[in-house]
Amino acid sequence: MALGFDVITIFPQIIHAYLKLSILKKATEGNLIDVKVYNLRDYTTDKHRMVDDYPYGGGPGMVMKVEPFYNAYNSLVSDGVDRFVVLLTPQGKTFNQEMALEFRERNERIVLLCGRYEGIDERVKELIVDEEVSIGDYVLTGGELPALVIIDTVSRLMPDVLGDNESSVDETFSMGLLEYPQYTRPPEFMGLKVPDVLLSGNHNLIRQWRMKEAVRRTLKRRPDLLYKKTNN
Ligand code: 6GU
């Protein structure tokens, strides 16, 4: 079954623009992934198509209303297909490669609710959200980039989305290590030489060198990944 996403946003063009220009274009054309985008404004019922309103209790900024999200969700699920609903918010659980693998294994379409403005009416979470997800400890203006980050990360784990099937296996994070240094031609540039071992044709030595460099680099830059590896 193809991996399916339903994105609900007030900026559908942001999602379309990336999907049609990236490596994911082929994946959608080949029906390896299926991304549908819904305009939140289409699920408003007032004549001004309002998606946000002033916060009860006062304070700065606007709050996204509950009804449009609720209506959009109900419209989606009326087809009877199982869905897992993710709300993109900096307050969510941090997305990582492990969560991407979990999403890939779900036999449900994944709904990505993109928030904007200062926040979302808490009742959206109570009524329709299964998991709140963040992509890191910084604040964006909206959930559209996070939605694309998730679609991109999960999609490239699907068979045949990447040209070379091995390339998502032997890479950064899949082994819990950063990737080893890579080189391509020329063998020397501005006095900088490609390590001899890579030109040696000795595949055992090359494998050893790469493993050593991956560990060295991880220890230097991301020791937390090594500790995580031994702790589980
Ligand atoms: Cl999911 N949303 C917003 N607005 N900012 C973020 C984020 C999400 N993840 C990290 N920063």
Side-chain angles (χ1 to χ4, degrees):
M1 195 182 75
L3 184 62
F5 293 97
D6 297 305
V7 185
I8 302 177
T9 169
I10 58 169
F11 293 118
Q13 318 89 291
I14 296 179
I15 309 298
H16 288 306
Y18 181 74
L19 295 179
K20 76 170 183 237
L21 293 172
S22 71
I23 195 167
L24 297 184
K25 185 181 180 194
K26 274 210 186 80
T28 41
E29 286 171 354
N31 296 318
L32 301 172
I33 64 171
D34 172 47
V35 184
K36 295 203 166 66
V37 187
Y38 300 87
N39 190 336
L40 185 67
R41 254 179 237 290
D42 292 342
Y43 300 91
T44 54
T45 50
D46 63 305
K47 80 168 184 219
H48 296 110
R49 313 227 297 163
M50 264 182 32
V51 292
D52 61 342
D53 205 339
Y54 297 99
Y56 276 123
M62 301 291 272
V63 175
M64 294 190 87
K65 292 167 65 60
V66 59
E67 301 98 312
F69 280 113
Y70 187 71
N71 294 340
Y73 171 78
N74 276 316
S75 165
L76 287 183
V77 299
S78 66
D79 65 5
V81 174
D82 284 341
R83 285 178 170 81
F84 184 76
V85 181
V86 171
L87 174 65
L88 285 324
T89 162
Q91 299 170 53
K93 181 175 171 192
T94 309
F95 185 68
N96 59 16
Q97 197 68 25
E98 190 185 334
M99 202 188 289
L101 288 161
E102 282 169 25
F103 283 178
R104 179 187 64 174
E105 299 310 322
R106 288 199 166 275
N107 292 315
E108 302 162 302
R109 291 182 68 85
I110 297 173
V111 180
L112 300 169
L113 305 178
C114 302
R116 281 259 151 186
Y117 313 112
E118 278 67 28
I120 296 198
D121 191 305
E122 196 65 22
R123 292 166 293 188
V124 173
K125 305 168 195 175
E126 288 175 45
L127 287 168
I128 63 175
V129 171
D130 295 308
E131 180 120 55
E132 296 179 46
V133 175
S134 162
I135 60 164
D137 292 341
Y138 40 82
V139 182
L140 299 162
T141 55
E144 286 75 16
L145 289 172
L148 286 170
V149 165
I150 290 172
I151 293 169
D152 192 289
T153 309
V154 180
S155 296
R156 64 187 292 294
L157 294 172
M158 294 297 282
D160 304 329
V161 166
L162 299 180
D164 165 8
N165 220 350
E166 291 219 302
S167 37
S168 83
V169 180
D170 182 29
E171 67 182 2
T172 301
F173 287 118
S174 65
M175 301 186 301
L177 293 175
L178 300 184
E179 229 183 327
Y180 47 78
Q182 296 270 29
Y183 296 88
T184 185
R185 291 185 287 179
E188 180 175 346
F189 185 71
M190 302 288 283
L192 299 177
K193 288 196 167 114
V194 175
D196 285 336
V197 60
L198 298 178
L199 309 176
S200 71
N202 184 329
H203 294 288
N204 269 327
L205 276 183
I206 291 171
R207 200 174 310 116
Q208 276 178 37
W209 181 86
R210 285 178 166 169
M211 181 53 74
K212 202 173 75 190
E213 290 300 318
V215 172
R216 189 210 303 279
R217 184 171 270 194
T218 309
L219 187 61
K220 188 153 179 239
R221 299 185 188 179
R222 292 294 307 277
D224 56 300
L225 294 177
L226 292 174
Y227 298 132
K228 194 166 140 195
K229 218 177 155 53
T230 50
N231 286 341
N232 62 27

